[in-house]
Each structure stands twice: as structure tokens, then as C-alpha cells.
Amino acid sequence: MKNPCRPCLSFCLLLCLVAACTVRPPEPYGAVPTPQQLAWQQMEMNLFCHFGPNTFTGAEWGTGTEPEDIFCPTDLDCRQWTAVARAAGFKGVIITAKHHDGFCLWPSPESLHTVAQSAWREGNGDVLRELSDACSADGLKFGVYISPWDRNDPRYGTPAYNGAFVRTLESVLGGAYGPVFEQWFDGACGEGPTGRRQVYDWPLFNATVHRLQPDAVIFSDVGPGCRWVGNEAGCAGRTNWSTLEVEGFEPGAGSPPVEVLNGGTPGASHWAAAETDVSIRPGWFWRASETDRVKSVRELLKIYYESVGRNSLLLLNVPPDTRGRIDAVDSLRLLEFRAALDDIFAIDLASGASVSGDSRGRRFIPANILSPEYDHYWALPDGQTTGTLMLTFPEPRTFNRVMLQEYIPLGQRIAAFHIDILTPEGDWRQIARETTVGYKRIVLTPTVTATALRLTIDQSLSCPTLSRLSLFNDKIYCEE
Ligand code: FUL
């Protein structure tokens, strides 16, 4: 006679086996990015285009009284902008649709200070139309800067302005120009203590953007989508959390201190990664007199390391000139910058290493840090907030950049780490001691030759994750 318990026993054994093989991923820790915020951060570099009356007057902040005919690009070609952006590796373009002077680069029905009142293209021009079309033709995302501060609108400083501003947003975001990946809200206001004072309805502005463009990431000093990095020098904090305490703060004068914006707040309940906006020229708008001061490749690489390499997105301003084209000097510089990045990051010197260390088991093994798939990551067991990973190379490797990537869909966790190498002579040597990682961290180290590398996580807000560790040898931007 058959034993009636046998099938039951085998089933239980099978269940135990499955349970042993299935290792759960860590639970998300604290605030995590939305899918849109993650996709936004993965863009890494976007182009900022300041363009408008200031391009023709040489001002940084127009007064709002400029005659509309001032805006007269002689040879506007947005495909030239997007061709340059694409060749240089940018993923999106953000244009100053309305800067502080109030001039609208599209025929806004809410204003009498727009391209429609200018003689440019006999009042039939629309820069947003041409740029959004060029972006879709070249596979780039399209974003808009629409300044709340408006020196032209007579309603500014009265309750009527907020409604007018919402209708302005609606005319851009309502679908006429297709999907908008980022809405840029500048917090600047130069009215001064005796000027007009507008109490902005930020909840209404943000709700309008979300209603019309649910996938748009909203930039302001304090988000909600992404935050200002706190300076215009191209420099994110060496410690840079993508979480920010936003309670009680608002864009502009009510924002947190710039040091807080620069580094974020560890463990805060809101996800608002830093965006580093910086100009390739001294000013935000094009001026002939500044063409000899376009940043060098070396300066751009420094900015790249201190923005993208410090867990921030880089929004690099390259302003079109009075023709409506990107100056040859700037476009050439961008292509040189691209060539330098391609050269530096061409060969991942970590590949082929054998990787060992603790892990929470299957699916989260140390070797995952060499996988190009972002979703293949290494993780420690729950409750374990320190640990090491060791890479052993088949032959000595020479490098000076260590690139790390946390798996941020589960939150930003790592708070302190250090890196040691084993020299061919057999000595261990520490080459870096840092704090945060985030989506991407590129650690600049001295140029070293190593037979092994050890990454030690010294502190983490919860069990750490790591999606990638890569090594590169930068022979162009060497600090030594
Ligand atoms: C600042 C503005 O006042 C500048 O003109 C520029 O647009 C910059 C990106 O943001 O706050």
C-alpha cells in the first residue's frame, strides 16, 4: 500500500526548496523616486537654451519694456540646436519660453508681449513649435522654463496674476507642443523691497502642470520633481542626498539655505534630486563679447564630475545667438566635450574582475555590480548596514575614476564608504573616503595600478544596494 503522506511530504520539501531559492529584494527605504523622476535622472545631461529679447539687447534681466520687434532672429534653425545637442549626448532641451521680461516665445493668448506682436516672421513665428518639432525629429525630450516673475504683465503683484499665469501654463502645456518632460520654475525675483509683490499660488501652479502633463518633472528650488542645486557654478555637494525636507519651504525667498539645497537632507520624506544648472558662457544669454569666454573642455569635465558624477542631473546652458543658431564656438566645444567623455568612459577596467563579498543571496550577488543592467544589483541582508565587496583583477589595472551606482528605486541609502586597492607589490592602500553615492557617483582618485580593489560600506541608512561599480582611466582631466 502506498504511504498517503508521501505526496504531501514531497510538496512540503518542494515548498521549502523554493523558499530557500527565493530571496526577497530589500524593502524600499524612505522616499523613493517616481518612475518619471528615475527616467529624468537617467537622462544625465540636458541642454538649457536662454533665448529672447535679452539675446538682442545684451541684458541678463530685461525690464519688460523692450519693444517686441527687438526679438528678430535672422536665421532661426532649431534643428541646428537639436543636432548639436544630440551629437553631444544631451537627452533633452529646455527653453526659456518666458523669461523675467515676460516676452513669450510663442503666441500666448494671455499676453500682448509675444512673438505675435513682433515683426519676426510677420507675427506668425512660434519658437516653441519649431523647437518641439525639432526635438521630436531628433529624438530629444522637450522642456520649458516659464518664469513666474514677470516684469511686463500689468497684473503682476495683484491676485489676478495667478490666474493669468495658470492660463499661460495651459497654453504651453495643454498639448499644443506635445509631451513636456520638465517644467522649470525659476524662483528669482528682483523686484526689491519696494517693488510689486506677488504671492504665488504654488499648489495651483504645480497642480496645473500635473493635470496637463502628468509625466513632467517640476523643477523649482524645492521641487516637487527636482530641486535647484543651490548655485550656478556647476557644483553639486560632495555629499548629495536626493531626499529633501520640504515642509514649510517654498521656491524663491522661502527656500532652504543653499547649503541644504546643495547636499539634500538624509532620510527626508520627499524625493527631489538635485539639478545643476550652469552656463557654458559667463552669462545666461548669448553676447558676442563673451564668445572668447566659452568654457574649456577641462572646465566642462570638472562640471560633469561635480554634477553627474555627484548624483545630480546637469542642465548645461548653451544660448542661441542673434541668428537663432548655436554659435560655432559653443557647438564645437560641445563636440570636443563629447569626444573627451567618450574617450574617458570607453573602457570599463572593472570588467573581467572576480567579485566576492557578503550578499543577501541569489539575484543580489556581488557579481551583479559588473552587469550593465541597472535592475541587476547587489544587496546586503536586511539589518546589515556595513559590508565589503572585493574585486580581484586577472592582471594589474591602472585607473583613476571609480564609478558607483546605487539602485535608487529602493531609495538612497549609502552614507559613508571608502576604497582600498592592493598594489602589485602586495600593499593595501586607501585611495578614497567619501559619503553618498545615489544614482551615480564618480570618485576621482589618484592614478593607481592595482591587482584588487576593496569597497567598504561604512554606513548606510538601511541595507545597501549597488547596481554598478566601474573603473576608468581619465588621461584628459587629471588632477595630479
Ligand atoms: C536665474 C535667473 O534669474 C537667470 O536669469 C537664469 O534664468 C537662471 C537659470 O535662473 O534664477
Side-chain angles (χ1 to χ4, degrees):
M1 189 184 139
K2 280 191 182 167
N3 180 350
C5 290
R6 265 182 86 178
C8 191
L9 200 66
S10 330
F11 185 65
C12 286
L13 274 173
L14 189 70
L15 272 188
C16 291
L17 202 67
V18 169
C21 296
T22 319
V23 180
R24 279 180 307 103
E27 290 296 321
Y29 173 80
V32 296
T34 62
Q36 291 83 356
Q37 286 174 312
L38 176 63
W40 171 89
Q41 183 126 28
Q42 290 178 322
M43 295 171 82
E44 297 198 359
M45 293 205 304
N46 292 325
L47 199 71
F48 211 3
C49 291
H50 275 67
F51 190 47
N54 298 344
T55 311
F56 303 87
T57 62
E60 269 300 320
W61 280 0
T63 60
T65 57
E66 297 80 8
E68 288 79 25
D69 285 349
I70 279 281
F71 183 79
C72 55
T74 50
D75 194 14
L76 181 78
D77 183 0
C78 292
R79 273 308 283 278
Q80 186 252 0
W81 312 5
T82 53
V84 170
R86 192 176 131 130
F90 293 84
K91 301 290 188 261
V93 182
I94 299 180
I95 181 161
T96 51
K98 175 171 88 97
H99 202 249
H100 310 321
D101 54 34
F103 186 80
C104 300
L105 297 185
W106 79 105
S108 169
E110 205 45 49
S111 168
L112 291 172
H113 192 50
T114 80
V115 280
Q117 285 76 40
S118 78
W120 176 61
R121 299 209 169 136
E122 291 160 351
N124 296 315
D126 183 343
V127 181
L128 300 194
R129 160 84 39 245
E130 296 191 32
L131 182 59
S132 57
D133 286 351
C135 282
S136 45
D138 273 322
L140 296 166
K141 292 189 179 176
F142 171 68
V144 284
Y145 167 126
I146 304 178
S147 171
W149 181 35
D150 191 315
R151 303 180 98 177
N152 173 269
D153 196 314
R155 294 163 292 189
Y156 189 84
T158 75
Y161 179 76
N162 283 343
F165 189 65
V166 165
R167 290 189 294 279
T168 303
L169 292 174
E170 285 171 344
S171 74
V172 176
L173 306 175
Y177 304 105
V180 169
F181 83 98
E182 181 169 342
Q183 166 64 50
W184 226 85
F185 283 139
D186 197 319
C189 177
E191 287 286 323
T194 56
R196 296 178 296 170
R197 191 173 128 67
Q198 181 69 42
V199 180
Y200 297 124
D201 191 344
W202 288 111
L204 177 64
F205 300 167
N206 290 336
T208 303
V209 178
H210 282 143
R211 170 168 57 85
L212 300 169
Q213 297 281 342
D215 289 335
V217 168
I218 301 178
F219 167 96
S220 86
D221 293 327
V222 291
C226 60
R227 73 173 197 267
W228 185 43
V229 76
N231 62 64
E232 292 176 342
C235 184
R238 196 158 164 173
T239 296
N240 183 15
W241 294 95
S242 290
T243 43
L244 183 71
E245 190 49 67
V246 291
E247 206 47 50
F249 294 109
E250 63 170 44
S255 68
V258 287
E259 308 78 59
V260 174
L261 294 176
N262 199 236
T265 332
S269 57
H270 188 81
W271 186 276
E275 177 169 83
T276 303
D277 60 313
V278 55
S279 187
I280 197 167
R281 289 165 166 256
W284 288 102
F285 288 86
W286 180 88
R287 281 186 202 99
S289 60
E290 292 182 349
T291 300
D292 58 354
R293 294 172 65 197
V294 170
K295 289 189 171 59
S296 65
V297 170
R298 204 180 151 74
E299 287 172 300
L300 293 174
L301 286 175
K302 181 172 193 296
I303 287 170
Y304 179 86
Y305 282 129
E306 294 183 354
S307 56
V308 176
R310 289 186 181 175
N311 186 34
S312 170
L313 184 135
L314 170 59
L315 181 61
L316 182 65
N317 181 62
V318 184
D321 61 16
T322 50
R323 297 169 306 165
R325 287 169 171 257
I326 293 179
D327 194 296
V329 172
D330 306 49
S331 50
L332 187 62
R333 193 58 43 81
L334 287 180
L335 298 182
E336 291 167 346
F337 173 47
R338 177 74 260 159
L341 291 175
D342 287 346
D343 186 90
I344 295 166
F345 297 106
I347 301 170
D348 182 353
L349 294 154
S351 72
S354 60
V355 194
S356 59
D358 293 346
S359 88
R360 61 194 289 126
R362 299 169 81 86
R363 277 177 62 204
F364 306 103
I365 54 173
N368 285 357
I369 60 160
L370 300 185
S371 158
E373 300 288 324
Y374 188 60
D375 289 343
H376 290 172
Y377 58 94
W378 165 76
L380 281 178
D382 291 346
Q384 186 175 337
T385 53
T386 60
T388 56
L389 277 179
M390 171 99 118
L391 278 74
T392 309
F393 309 119
E395 72 290 311
R397 303 263 167 106
T398 300
F399 56 87
N400 53 19
R401 305 286 176 257
V402 182
M403 193 188 86
L404 302 169
Q405 289 193 276
E406 261 179 280
Y407 187 64
I408 59 169
L410 297 179
Q412 189 178 348
R413 298 153 176 255
I414 297 172
F417 65 93
H418 70 273
I419 301 167
D420 301 292
I421 52 133
L422 184 61
T423 66
E425 295 74 38
D427 302 320
W428 281 101
R429 175 180 162 201
Q430 188 174 113
I431 56 165
R433 182 172 281 282
E434 297 289 339
T435 54
T436 52
V437 175
Y439 170 68
K440 184 174 273 192
R441 181 68 201 265
I442 305 172
V443 183
L444 278 58
T445 72
T447 303
V448 291
T449 299
T451 56
L453 175 144
R454 189 172 60 213
L455 169 72
T456 305
I457 312 284
D458 297 302
Q459 197 189 334
S460 186
L461 304 186
S462 186
C463 64
T465 70
L466 201 67
S467 171
R468 194 76 200 252
L469 187 157
S470 298
L471 301 171
F472 302 100
N473 195 22
D474 176 353
K475 296 189 181 129
I476 302 170
Y477 181 83
C478 262
E479 286 203 313
E480 299 131 295

